[in-house]
């Protein structure tokens, strides 16, 4: 706790001690010191005749800084670490764990890292836009090699600090070049979207997405809200595996969404954080983005390799801007670099090399696809087992089949805030307060326990 103590330098001591511990007499030396101190708004001064006496105040200069609340997602992991219960389960953050609930480093990542060591690569600065080999493969992975947007050089790709950093770069671009334009985000959405646009001073509003009655997509609400938005708005879309609901539009619905966005001259802005994790197929999970690109639309796509390559801490991703001409793409890229330079100068190299090695090498690429299918498969098994356990144990006969319809890492349980709190306080199950659980952090062995916790919280807490 900051204590406030005024240490009044004795008036009987007409000498001041300066920062370096030297004594200043009433000389020119001293007046320089005092002039400097006068300019410091935090140092209180008092006049003692001709010599100003400084009163050292050991109140913090940061007194006005209030305590920030814990992050609704990453704060859950902090609380989990502090819990000593043997039963505790961390279903908060979307991070893949093995059946033994241990973090998992993909074999292809280890192989790529070994290659890097063998090659004895250096640690020079990357260019502001990132590693060229990474930017090439990341665009191909997203749009498909040979896609016209790549062939016609209509694409500006800049390596970013994973999905979050890439979204933030795009938000800064919007703020700078589309002043006043609104970003429409789904209700609900990944919690950090709002922070990102708030910090970039980009206005946003929500479009309807989730219908609690059907535990499905409120497609009509979504379409009418996108229609009602001011022309030329940005529409943030989750490319696949919508977070937190796990509910994606069907291919037909994606077409209709593209129709309205085109009609209204909006700009689609995709967040692709789970490519390969929704269906187990990298191509299928990029189909929404490719559908929009095939219509010749201009669009933005933020990519992340946190989940699909398990590179959470490497902070590797990209921002891609599809433009209608190569010339526009070159200008957009130059501005993205201009935004990045004063923020973090240039991105880290390690994760970029891993991705370039894995995606750029046919053998490693195939191995990666197999590993991803394994990860996606384990999540599907856990999803099924949780559904089976809930259905078998729930004496009230509630229909839990929505769990099987949701895809990706998460299940949106429909548990309210107080019910979610009961999950944590009584059952030591850590989850976000919006009722989302990460199935990637669940094992088959823990499904029964989790089902008990959910049933208790759902039926006994209101
Ligand atoms: N978009 C979405 C939709 C998303 O769920 C995440 C991460 C990100 C972007 C950013 O991930 P990055 O590691 O910056 O590439 N979501 C998980 C972790 C987090 O909140 O940071 C989560 O929802 O648990």
């Amino acid at each position: 706790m900051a204590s406030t103590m005024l240490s009044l330098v004795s008036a009987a001591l007409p000498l001041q001690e300066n920062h370096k511990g030297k004594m200043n007499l009433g000389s020119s030396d001293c007046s320089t010191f005092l002039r400097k101190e006068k300019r410091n708004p935090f140092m209180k001064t008092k006049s003692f005749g001709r010599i100003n006496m400084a009163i050292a105040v050991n109140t913090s200069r940061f007194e006005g800084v209030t305590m920030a609340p814990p992050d609704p997602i990453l704060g859950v992991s902090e609380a989990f670490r502090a819990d000593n219960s043997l039963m505790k389960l961390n279903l908060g953050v979307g991070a893949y764990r093995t059946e033994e609930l241990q973090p998992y480093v993909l074999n292809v990542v280890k192989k790529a890292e070994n290659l890097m060591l063998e090659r004895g690569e250096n640690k020079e600065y990357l260019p502001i836009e990132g590693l060229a080999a990474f930017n090439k493969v990341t665009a191909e992975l997203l749009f498909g090699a040979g896609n016209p947007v790549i062939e016609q050089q209509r694409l500006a790709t800049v390596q970013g600090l994973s999905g979050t950093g890439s979204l933030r770069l795009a938000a800064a671009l919007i703020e700078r070049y589309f002043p006043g334009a609104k970003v429409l985000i789904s209700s609900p959405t990944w919690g950090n979207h709002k922070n990102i646009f708030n910090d970039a001073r980009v206005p946003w509003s929500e479009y309807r997405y989730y219908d609690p009655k059907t535990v499905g997509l409120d497609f009509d609400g979504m379409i009418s809200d996108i229609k009602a938005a001011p022309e030329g708005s940005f529409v943030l879309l989750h490319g696949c595996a919508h977070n937190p609901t796990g509910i994606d539009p069907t291919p037909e619905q994606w077409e209709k969404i593209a129709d309205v966005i085109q009609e209204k001259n909006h700009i689609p802005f995709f967040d692709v954080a789970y490519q390969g994790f929704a269906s187990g197929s990298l191509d299928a999970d990029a189909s929404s983005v490719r559908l929009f690109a095939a219509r010749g639309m201009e669009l933005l796509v933020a990519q992340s390799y946190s989940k699909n390559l398990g590179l959470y801490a490497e902070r590797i991703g990209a921002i891609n801007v599809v433009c209608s001409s190569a010339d526009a793409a070159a200008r957009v890229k130059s501005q993205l670099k201009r935004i990045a330079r004063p923020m973090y100068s240039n991105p880290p190299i390690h994760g970029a090399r891993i991705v370039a090695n894995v995606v750029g090498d046919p053998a490693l690429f195939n191995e990666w696809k197999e590993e991803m299918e394994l990860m996606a498969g384990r999540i599907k098994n856990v999803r099924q087992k949780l559904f089976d356990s809930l259905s078998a144990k729930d004496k009230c006969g509630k229909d839990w089949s929505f769990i099987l319809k949701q895809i990706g890492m998460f299940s949106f349980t429909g548990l309210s805030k107080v019910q979610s709190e009961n999950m944590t306080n009584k059952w030591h199950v850590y989850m976000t307060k919006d009722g989302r659980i990460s199935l990637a952090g669940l094992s088959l062995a823990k499904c029964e326990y989790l089902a008990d916790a959910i049933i208790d919280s759902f039926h006994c807490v209101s």
Side-chain angles (χ1 to χ4, degrees):
M1 211 184 84
S3 65
T4 308
M5 189 192 73
L6 291 183
S7 147
L8 250 182
V9 180
S10 162
L13 185 69
L15 298 173
Q16 285 288 306
E17 204 168 333
N18 73 10
H19 308 296
K20 290 178 186 138
K22 280 192 195 151
M23 297 306 232
N24 287 310
L25 296 163
S27 62
S28 58
D29 192 4
C30 176
S31 57
T32 314
F33 168 63
L34 290 172
R35 259 205 316 276
K36 268 192 197 147
E37 290 306 311
K38 262 188 185 164
R39 263 185 254 125
N40 182 340
F42 296 101
M43 182 67 91
K44 295 187 177 162
T45 57
K46 225 174 189 183
S47 181
F48 287 91
R50 284 187 61 234
I51 299 176
N52 278 341
M53 296 296 290
I55 301 165
V57 179
N58 76 351
T59 302
S60 169
R61 309 278 172 93
F62 303 101
E63 211 55 46
V65 179
T66 56
M67 184 62 80
D71 182 79
I73 299 177
L74 299 186
V76 173
S77 297
E78 286 168 32
F80 172 79
R81 278 191 285 272
D83 186 337
N84 294 323
S85 164
L86 292 175
M87 301 310 290
K88 69 177 182 175
L89 202 49
N90 187 2
L91 309 182
V93 69
Y96 182 82
R97 299 276 186 276
T98 62
E99 183 58 28
E100 292 71 41
L101 298 184
Q102 294 307 307
Y104 178 57
V105 180
L106 276 76
N107 288 326
V108 284
V109 167
K110 289 183 192 154
K111 286 184 183 176
E113 285 179 324
N114 282 337
L115 267 178
M116 285 153 61
L117 270 181
E118 278 166 23
R119 289 180 190 155
E121 283 161 323
N122 65 43
K123 303 283 185 194
E124 290 267 298
Y125 285 132
L126 276 179
I128 305 171
E129 73 260 40
L131 186 71
F134 166 79
N135 287 350
K136 179 177 183 296
V137 297
T138 200
E140 289 175 356
L141 189 77
L142 183 62
F143 294 100
N147 189 301
V149 303
I150 300 174
E151 297 291 296
Q152 297 160 7
Q153 298 179 353
R154 290 195 284 114
L155 181 62
T157 301
V158 169
Q159 183 186 328
L161 304 182
S162 210
T164 308
S166 304
L167 287 160
R168 184 66 178 77
L169 277 183
L173 186 81
I174 293 171
E175 192 269 338
R176 205 165 279 190
Y177 287 96
F178 300 84
K182 219 165 45 164
V183 175
L184 300 185
I185 56 183
S186 64
S187 173
T189 192
W190 175 51
N192 215 17
H193 281 149
K194 294 177 185 174
N195 298 333
I196 289 168
F197 295 113
N198 283 342
D199 274 12
R201 299 177 192 283
V202 173
W204 54 267
S205 64
E206 294 181 308
Y207 60 82
R208 278 168 280 173
Y209 191 83
Y210 173 73
D211 183 352
K213 280 189 242 83
T214 61
V215 199
L217 180 64
D218 180 359
F219 185 64
D220 293 340
M222 178 182 185
I223 292 292
S224 66
D225 288 348
I226 294 175
K227 259 190 194 159
E231 186 135 332
S233 297
F234 288 80
V235 184
L236 190 74
L237 301 158
H238 297 223
C240 63
H242 182 271
N243 179 6
T245 65
I247 301 160
D248 284 352
T250 63
E252 297 72 38
Q253 288 172 329
W254 274 123
E255 293 282 1
K256 289 199 179 119
I257 295 166
D259 286 343
V260 212
I261 289 181
Q262 249 175 332
E263 267 165 40
K264 288 286 305 197
N265 244 334
H266 293 327
I267 304 176
F269 180 177
F270 281 94
D271 180 356
V272 176
Y274 299 94
Q275 191 180 352
F277 245 94
S279 66
S281 155
L282 285 161
D283 285 323
D285 289 355
S287 58
S288 56
V289 171
R290 292 180 192 177
L291 177 156
F292 279 67
R295 288 178 173 228
M297 297 167 79
E298 298 195 298
L299 57 121
L300 293 89
V301 192
Q303 280 175 290
S304 164
Y305 288 92
S306 291
K307 326 282 171 159
N308 55 11
L309 258 175
L311 294 177
Y312 308 92
E314 296 297 351
R315 311 311 296 146
I316 178 67
I319 180 70
N320 301 268
V321 185
V322 175
C323 303
S324 57
S325 70
D327 184 54
R331 282 182 278 115
V332 166
K333 187 168 178 172
S334 75
Q335 290 298 341
L336 286 170
K337 286 163 65 178
R338 191 181 180 190
I339 292 167
R341 171 67 169 147
M343 264 205 229
Y344 57 84
S345 191
N346 48 74
I349 201 163
H350 193 79
R353 279 194 182 131
I354 295 173
V355 177
N357 285 344
V358 172
V359 184
D361 177 277
L364 285 183
F365 186 55
N366 283 332
E367 225 178 300
W368 177 35
K369 288 199 276 192
E370 281 166 26
E371 278 194 280
M372 203 153 33
E373 272 168 37
L374 275 177
M375 289 192 288
R378 196 188 85 71
I379 297 173
K380 276 186 195 146
N381 291 343
V382 170
R383 198 180 273 288
Q384 181 68 48
K385 174 91 191 276
L386 178 62
F387 166 75
D388 292 343
S389 310
L390 283 167
S391 305
K393 284 170 180 278
D394 191 352
K395 300 285 172 276
C396 303
K398 178 180 160 55
D399 179 10
W400 295 97
S401 62
F402 66 87
I403 290 179
L404 294 179
K405 291 188 199 123
Q406 298 168 342
I407 57 166
M409 275 192 161
F410 302 107
S411 180
F412 202 48
T413 59
L415 291 174
S416 67
K417 186 167 177 278
V418 275
Q419 290 167 339
S420 303
E421 278 162 0
N422 184 65
M423 295 283 287
T424 306
N425 299 340
K426 180 169 170 190
W427 294 87
H428 304 274
V429 175
Y430 288 79
M431 58 186 286
T432 52
K433 299 283 176 280
D434 58 0
R436 182 191 88 168
I437 54 175
S438 168
L439 296 178
L442 179 64
S443 62
L444 289 172
K446 295 273 188 181
C447 281
E448 302 257 328
Y449 177 78
L450 180 62
D452 287 334
I454 292 177
I455 289 169
D456 172 59
S457 305
F458 190 81
H459 293 302
C460 307
V461 179
S462 57

